[in-house]
Amino acid sequence: MLPYSSAGEAEAALGRAMTPAESAWFTYSASLPDHLLYCHNVAILLVVYTIAPLPFALLDILRSPSPPKLQPRAPRLSPAQILRCYLDTARILLLTVGALSIFSFPVVQAVGIRTGLPLPSLGEVALQMLVYFLIEDYLGYWIHRLLHTPWGYDYVHRVHHEYPAPVSYAAPYSHWAEVLILGVPSFTGPALVPCHITTMWLWFVLRHVEAIEIHSGFDIPFNPTKLIPFYGGAEHHDYHHRVGQKSQSNFSSVFTFCDYLYGTDKGYKLHKASLTKLKEIAENNLEQAHLEQTRKSDFDKKP
């Protein structure tokens, strides 16, 4: 709750006029307690989870040949199966993230997540997003490796791997314990580099959208995320799901440098090399067939 009774009082405290964004924030949040603002995380997460995967799910349902599936031979889920995945995941998210939002608020206050004015600049937000993604990726890498130990996989992580050919709505589909465990690297960034509550909302939105994209199962041409240095994307993570329980490759959730540094990308590199070799063989065979057809046509034309 903002400690100002009027916009004029807020501007006097700032020593300047509020920006349009700050005016909108003042109007919305002035009378809302901080705990309630923090609990917006639950609603934001559910809205993003409902809407963001929908375009990919429609491509699956419509059996669209373009963009191509990363696992084209894997059976596609029916609308009923996709709906069941959504409902099961939404229930787990509501229960786990909802409970966490209630009980973790004292921690949020203690680390310095603020709700007041001024709002952060775009540059500040951009730098914080970069730091949060790097921290989440590094910690998430090691947690993911632990979840692939026999005990971690059998009792927790196997639920997430029930979809060997992942779909967008299966991005957060997990055991309730895994949802809580993976909340640790997501919250560590804001805990180490405190931000405004609106920045934390944006961080959770971007992280969730990124998870949905890498679980989409589609290789999207001209995807702007391919321009991000070291970004793994759907192809990188899809291989991890393809291998499943015995996977020792591609544990990183966002970037690829941890897998490179710690040598857990070897299987993926071999897989990529074999695909390239098969493509070259197929192209050579096609070229040979074309030459044979051309020679036959020339021979048939002779008197």
Side-chain angles (χ1 to χ4, degrees):
M1 185 179 295
L2 299 183
Y4 313 116
S5 58
S6 67
E9 188 176 333
E11 290 182 336
L14 289 172
R16 58 170 174 79
M18 288 189 289
T19 65
E22 288 171 335
S23 295
W25 177 248
F26 177 84
T27 301
Y28 180 75
S29 66
S31 60
L32 292 177
D34 289 352
H35 194 181
L36 184 57
L37 289 172
Y38 176 59
C39 287
H40 280 40
N41 292 330
V42 183
I44 291 170
L45 182 62
L46 289 176
V47 168
V48 172
Y49 174 60
T50 301
I51 296 174
L54 188 57
F56 298 113
L58 290 175
L59 290 174
D60 264 313
I61 292 170
L62 297 174
R63 303 296 194 266
S64 173
S66 181
K69 288 285 287 186
L70 290 164
Q71 297 187 49
R73 296 182 181 179
R76 297 201 183 188
L77 300 183
S78 67
Q81 289 173 312
I82 292 176
L83 178 61
R84 173 50 55 191
C85 175
Y86 167 76
L87 293 175
D88 289 344
T89 306
R91 183 181 70 253
I92 292 296
L93 290 177
L94 181 61
L95 293 174
T96 55
V97 180
L100 194 63
S101 295
I102 293 172
F103 295 108
S104 64
F105 180 65
V107 179
V108 172
Q109 285 184 310
V111 300
I113 303 298
R114 62 188 184 88
T115 62
L117 296 173
L119 291 180
S121 66
L122 291 177
E124 179 183 347
V125 172
L127 284 174
Q128 287 172 331
M129 289 301 107
L130 176 60
V131 171
Y132 297 168
F133 269 112
L134 291 172
I135 291 174
E136 200 281 340
D137 188 67
Y138 187 80
L139 294 179
Y141 170 85
W142 288 106
I143 290 175
H144 197 176
R145 288 191 67 170
L146 288 174
L147 289 172
H148 271 266
T149 59
W151 189 95
Y153 191 92
D154 290 342
Y155 290 96
V156 180
H157 195 49
R158 64 172 179 79
V159 176
H160 183 65
H161 276 273
E162 288 177 10
Y163 292 92
V167 294
S168 54
Y169 277 110
Y173 179 83
S174 303
H175 191 284
W176 64 265
E178 182 168 348
V179 175
L180 295 177
I181 291 168
L182 293 181
V184 173
S186 293
F187 184 71
T188 299
L192 294 176
V193 184
C195 60
H196 195 271
I197 189 70
T198 55
T199 304
M200 191 162 73
W201 292 347
L202 177 63
W203 158 236
F204 288 149
V205 168
L206 293 180
R207 178 65 185 92
H208 202 57
V209 168
E210 184 272 338
I212 289 167
E213 192 266 330
I214 66 172
H215 286 87
S216 68
F218 287 98
D219 182 19
I220 305 295
F222 310 112
N223 190 333
T225 59
K226 293 182 178 181
L227 301 175
I228 301 174
F230 306 107
Y231 182 70
E235 184 180 12
H236 183 265
H237 193 69
D238 197 271
Y239 174 77
H240 176 82
H241 273 265
R242 181 197 298 256
V243 179
Q245 178 179 4
K246 296 181 180 179
S247 177
Q248 295 300 315
S249 289
N250 298 16
F251 293 107
S252 294
S253 58
V254 184
F255 303 108
T256 60
F257 52 79
C258 278
D259 284 305
Y260 173 77
L261 289 173
Y262 300 112
T264 51
D265 61 351
K266 295 176 182 177
Y268 178 61
K269 287 180 178 178
L270 289 172
H271 172 71
K272 292 275 288 182
S274 65
L275 289 180
T276 301
K277 186 66 175 178
L278 289 173
K279 184 178 179 181
E280 290 174 354
I281 293 173
E283 290 174 350
N284 289 335
N285 290 340
L286 185 62
E287 185 178 353
Q288 289 294 328
H290 178 71
L291 290 174
E292 289 292 336
Q293 184 64 34
T294 302
R295 283 196 291 267
K296 184 177 183 301
S297 298
D298 291 342
F299 179 79
D300 291 341
K301 291 177 183 178
K302 291 179 179 180

